[in-house]
DNA sequence: TGAATATGCACTGTTTATGGACCAATTCTT
DNA sequence: AAGAATTGGTCCATAAACAGTGCATATTCA
């Protein structure tokens, strides 16, 4: 079956997407870039920039992060160096974890 | 013209997307959730979860953030409350900025 | 105020993302 | 080691993302 016409997003993720879009718009304007300028730099259309700033959850995460980076927004509050280190750490942690998750059948509600 | 077959992402944004995916995978495994479980909770297919964890930039930002939220990853390092507040602040800042950007033509070349 | 430009929105055609089913390989548990 | 479940990949059908365009409105600046 195809892509669902409407996807139910949680409030938290909707807010997060919207916030990121607003931050991008703010940073763009502060840097005195037009939507068209940002679009060109990001290699996307102006229309997509508008959807990104509006917080459309359907936008690809690639273009969104690209736009964010261009206007100077640090994802994860991290510099490129820190980002790389975090990646190594997570990759490291992943090698120590099981690759396949088993049963766990009974109530996954952990948190003490 | 249609969607570009291949989009050129910067290293930074590619790393950021990949890192987020790895973090989601790590958190999922630590919580003992199967990819199928996470998919079901997020309302997406298992295949999409795989692409998300792999760091595919083409994935919608909505599903990615949704998955992240489900496994407990705080976007922006913020709790829901903080997220809401940040949103207000940015919205506030936006009202104080010009709505349309003028010339500024001359090189805003920032690093990042 | 007027001119120039940015923005918002809607429409169209093409490409892509996604769901679903299926299969093979991997991996965990007993 | 065996069995059961997870994972990873492919293939197909379909809805959606995206680029482009045009145009109306809004906005900045002279």
């Amino acid at each position: 079956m195809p892509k669902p016409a409407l996807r139910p997003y949680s409030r938290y993720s909707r807010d997060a997407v919207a916030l990121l879009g607003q931050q991008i718009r703010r940073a763009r304007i502060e840097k005195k870039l037009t939507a068209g300028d940002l679009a060109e730099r990001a290699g996307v259309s102006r229309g997509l920039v508008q959807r990104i700033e509006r917080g459309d959850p359907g936008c690809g995460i690639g273009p969104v992060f690209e736009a964010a980076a261009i206007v100077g927004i640090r994802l994860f509050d991290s510099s490129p160096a820190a980002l790389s280190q975090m990646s190594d750490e997570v990759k490291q942690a992943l090698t120590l974890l099981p690759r396949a998750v088993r049963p766990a059948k009974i109530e996954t509600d952990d948190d003490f």
Side-chain angles (χ1 to χ4, degrees), chain A residues 81-111:
Chain A
L83 200 66
S84 188
Q85 184 183 335
M86 290 178 73
S87 182
D88 289 341
E89 291 177 1
V90 176
K91 204 165 299 183
Q92 173 70 21
L94 278 174
T95 66
L96 301 179
L97 287 173
R99 307 172 50 100
V101 177
R102 275 292 157 169
K105 283 299 184 183
I106 321 92
E107 278 311 310
T108 311
D109 70 351
D110 34 272
D111 45 20

Side-chain angles (χ1 to χ4, degrees), chain A residues 53-66:
Chain A
E53 294 186 346
R54 196 188 308 151
D56 187 330
C59 296
I61 193 174
V64 177
F65 276 27
E66 187 73 23

Side-chain angles (χ1 to χ4, degrees), chain A residues 12-87:
Chain A
Y12 185 74
S13 52
R14 263 188 293 118
D15 285 352
V17 175
L19 174 56
L20 182 52
Q22 292 172 340
Q23 288 185 330
I24 290 174
R25 182 183 178 85
R26 175 187 183 174
R28 171 179 69 78
I29 295 177
E30 289 179 337
K31 285 182 178 300
K32 299 198 184 351
L33 288 174
T34 68
D37 289 338
L38 175 54
E40 189 176 16
R41 292 202 192 186
V44 302
S45 66
R46 187 171 65 91
L48 182 53
V49 168
Q50 286 187 142
R51 299 224 321 284
I52 289 173
E53 294 186 346
R54 196 188 308 151
D56 187 330
C59 296
I61 193 174
V64 177
F65 276 27
E66 187 73 23
I70 290 176
V71 296
I73 294 178
R74 307 278 180 72
L75 292 323
F76 301 100
D77 284 332
S78 300
S79 64
L83 200 66
S84 188
Q85 184 183 335
M86 290 178 73
S87 182

